[in-house]
Amino acid sequence: MDITLHRDRCVGAGMCALTAPGVFDQDDEDGRVALLDSKPSPAHHAAARLAAGLCPAAAITVTEAREPGSSSAP
């Protein structure tokens, strides 16, 4: 899993920090999302996915890593 932020979209709702506090926080100065871990451990994957889905501004992108040896063809 790889997480990318689009801070320019963030509205500071804080859903990410509440949902996945091991992965996200809020910047003390402007209240926007702060990324604590761009490649979180598997224990944090479900919460990170949920946080991205709950973000009202779609400021979080989660990209799933492919398994070694997997094909990109359907």
Side-chain angles (χ1 to χ4, degrees):
M1 170 180 281
D2 189 38
I3 299 173
T4 305
L5 296 183
H6 309 280
R7 284 182 47 89
D8 56 321
R9 294 184 198 166
C10 181
V11 296
M15 292 306 300
C16 55
L18 292 171
T19 305
V23 181
F24 304 103
D25 198 357
Q26 282 186 279
D27 187 289
D28 289 336
E29 291 185 25
D30 63 10
R32 293 189 295 170
V33 63
L35 185 59
L36 301 176
D37 190 354
S38 66
K39 297 184 185 297
S41 70
H44 294 286
H45 286 190
R49 280 187 211 101
L50 181 59
L54 291 173
C55 179
I60 301 167
T61 301
V62 174
T63 305
E64 300 293 339
R66 287 193 214 152
E67 294 295 321
S70 68
S71 167
S72 61

